[in-house]
Amino acid sequence: EGQLKPGQQVILDLAEEPRTIVSDPKLLRHVLTNLISNAAKYSPAGTEITISSGLSGDHFFIRVTDQGIGIPPEDRQHLFDRFFRARNVENVQGTGLGLNIVRHYVKLLGGTIDFVSEMGRGSSFTIGLPLKTTEE
């Protein structure tokens, strides 16, 4: 909450299944904290950040969607590179390490990360992780 701008709201749209997942809680927490922090940082006050989840075959996904500035098309291929910052974020503090670390952690969890973005309308980052439940 300390990173949200005035009027920003986090909306949870979580699927009922799976009810429980097995993963490294520290790594997953770091990934989600970074993605939610970025969503707040690059979105204007008074906007929504949506966190959704669900199943896709033998994977589950968690998606963080914002209504922010978007990522320029020419910068998208470098977004997960170390120290890379998109050209439209010059007035926003950051090191360019967050998404690189997120990608590394997601790989350690055996998953994937992808995103879609539209300039001036926002971005959506989706983490896909192998489905392991407590029943296994």
Side-chain angles (χ1 to χ4, degrees), residues 37-102:
S37 172
N38 281 353
K41 188 183 336 183
Y42 296 111
S43 296
T47 57
E48 293 181 350
I49 298 163
T50 303
I51 303 168
S52 55
S53 70
L55 291 174
S56 179
D58 60 352
H59 284 69
F60 74 96
F61 69 86
I62 301 171
R63 181 173 295 127
V64 178
T65 303
D66 66 49
Q67 299 172 352
I69 60 176
I71 303 158
E74 60 274 14
D75 291 342
R76 293 176 188 169
Q77 66 184 6
H78 300 291
L79 197 62
F80 296 103
D81 293 353
R82 197 173 334 162
F83 301 115
F84 180 79
R85 299 195 70 220
R87 63 193 77 220
N88 63 336
V89 300
E90 60 275 343
N91 296 326
V92 181
Q93 287 187 331
T95 62
L97 286 173
L99 288 176
N100 179 265
I101 293 169
V102 163

Side-chain angles (χ1 to χ4, degrees), residues 34 40 52 56 59 103 115 132:
N34 184 281
S52 55
S56 179
H59 284 69
R103 182 180 64 178
F115 70 94
K132 298 177 191 169

Side-chain angles (χ1 to χ4, degrees), residues 17-23 55 60 130-136:
E17 294 295 328
R19 297 185 69 75
T20 304
I21 59 171
V22 177
S23 188
L55 291 174
F60 74 96
L131 181 60
K132 298 177 191 169
T133 64
T134 54
E135 293 86 43
E136 290 182 5

